[in-house]
């Protein structure tokens, strides 16, 4: 049996301190997981359970490579997030077992075509075109878990040296174990899954030529440019 065409390369993320790569299976994302961001988007942080959506695995951008400004939008927003990398999974995972599924952590940007998302919300339609596009998930190298999981630490993002997003991961409405438990009620989680855990307030537009730096204290950093899309 042969392939009809050469299959695409498997998306991977480097792992710090290891001569190994993390193969990406799926990318899950959590929306509205910081109260200040929920408020800036016009929601109520206490009213609803987690909002889940996804991105294609090959949306990852690694090695601080430049990110091309995507087509079909004039309002591309940055959203810095703590990223969870799973080393195991399952269905209906118990809260007491959730952290045992975590291989490590990274820093990610959930890029959003905000104009398309606004139109989708108004029409009651899915967010796929607003969230799941090419190069929409830059991510830092993954830091393996050793003794402790990060429970607090500054999460921040700067554009051209100007601080736009600033919070602490301890302010997440739904903790990492909470998210894993809830996701496993809907999906069979497995090794290779990445979970973007939500962004704090301060999301805003970015344009071609912008330099973005972001980080989570104790986890890692990102630094890359937004460039024009090439034909």
């Amino acid at each position: 049996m042969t392939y009809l065409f050469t299959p695409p390369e498997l998306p991977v993320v480097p792992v710090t301190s290891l001569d190994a790569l993390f193969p990406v299976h799926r990318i899950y994302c959590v929306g509205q997981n910081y109260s200040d961001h929920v408020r800036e988007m016009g929601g109520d942080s206490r009213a609803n359970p987690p909002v889940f959506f996804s991105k294609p695995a090959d949306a990852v951008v690694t090695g601080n490579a430049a990110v091309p400004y995507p087509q079909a939008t004039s309002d591309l927003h940055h959203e810095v997030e703590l990223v969870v990398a799973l080393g195991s999974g399952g269905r209906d995972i118990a809260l007491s077992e959730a952290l045992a599924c975590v291989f490590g952590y990274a820093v990610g940007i959930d890029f959003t075509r905000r104009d398309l998302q606004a139109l989708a919300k108004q029409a009651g339609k899915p967010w796929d075109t607003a969230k799941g596009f090419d190069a929409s998930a830059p991510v830092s190298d993954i830091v393996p878990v050793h003794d402790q999981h990060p429970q607090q630490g500054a999460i921040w993002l700067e554009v051209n040296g100007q601080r736009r997003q600033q919070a602490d991961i301890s302010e997440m409405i739904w903790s990492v174990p909470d998210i894993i438990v809830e996701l496993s009620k809907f999906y069979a989680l497995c090794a290779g899954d990445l979970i973007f855990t939500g962004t704090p307030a301060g999301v805003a537009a970015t344009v071609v030529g912008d330099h973005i730096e972001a980080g989570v204290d104790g986890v890692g950093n990102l630094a890359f440019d937004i460039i024009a899309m090439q034909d």
Side-chain angles (χ1 to χ4, degrees):
M1 189 71 68
T2 59
Y3 292 112
L4 290 173
F5 51 86
T6 302
E9 293 184 7
L10 179 68
V12 295
V13 179
V15 178
T16 61
S17 72
L18 293 178
D19 185 20
L21 297 171
F22 182 92
V24 181
H25 174 244
R26 291 178 178 173
I27 300 176
Y28 299 102
C29 303
V30 183
Q32 302 183 355
N33 199 28
Y34 287 80
S35 295
D36 54 359
H37 177 55
V38 174
R39 288 192 294 270
E40 78 173 349
M41 299 303 290
D44 182 346
S45 63
R46 297 168 295 177
N48 300 302
V51 175
F52 295 125
F53 57 93
S54 62
K55 294 176 180 280
D58 62 1
V60 294
V61 180
T62 62
N64 288 327
V67 172
Y69 195 94
Q71 64 199 81
T73 185
S74 59
D75 196 20
L76 179 69
H77 280 211
H78 56 70
E79 301 187 11
V80 61
E81 313 202 2
L82 174 69
V83 178
V84 180
L86 297 187
S88 63
R91 296 183 177 88
D92 297 316
I93 297 169
L95 186 63
S96 60
E97 299 173 355
L99 286 180
C101 298
V102 178
F103 168 78
Y105 294 88
V107 182
I109 307 293
D110 165 21
F111 275 120
T112 303
R113 295 192 278 206
R114 191 71 72 200
D115 43 3
L116 299 189
Q117 185 186 40
L119 290 173
K121 286 182 176 181
Q122 291 171 8
K125 295 181 179 179
W127 298 359
D128 295 56
T129 57
K131 291 287 191 177
F133 52 93
D134 300 335
S136 61
V139 64
S140 69
D141 292 358
I142 296 168
V143 179
V145 171
H146 295 295
D147 297 324
Q148 293 185 332
H149 295 262
Q151 298 182 19
Q152 60 183 19
I155 180 171
W156 55 272
L157 181 142
E158 295 179 351
V159 177
N160 302 325
Q162 180 181 6
R163 186 66 56 102
R164 288 191 177 179
Q165 293 186 264
Q166 176 76 54
D168 194 284
I169 60 172
S170 63
E171 299 170 22
M172 290 195 297
I173 299 168
W174 298 84
S175 69
V176 170
D178 290 334
I179 293 167
I180 293 172
V181 168
E182 290 299 313
L183 266 177
S184 72
K185 294 177 181 178
F186 300 98
Y187 307 97
L189 302 180
C190 69
D193 289 341
L194 295 177
I195 304 172
F196 281 58
T197 59
T199 196
V203 300
T206 185
V207 298
V208 172
D210 280 346
H211 179 71
I212 294 179
E213 296 188 30
V216 175
D217 286 1
V219 175
N221 297 278
L222 282 170
F224 59 90
D225 296 321
I226 304 295
I227 62 172
M229 180 175 289
Q230 304 299 315
D231 292 333

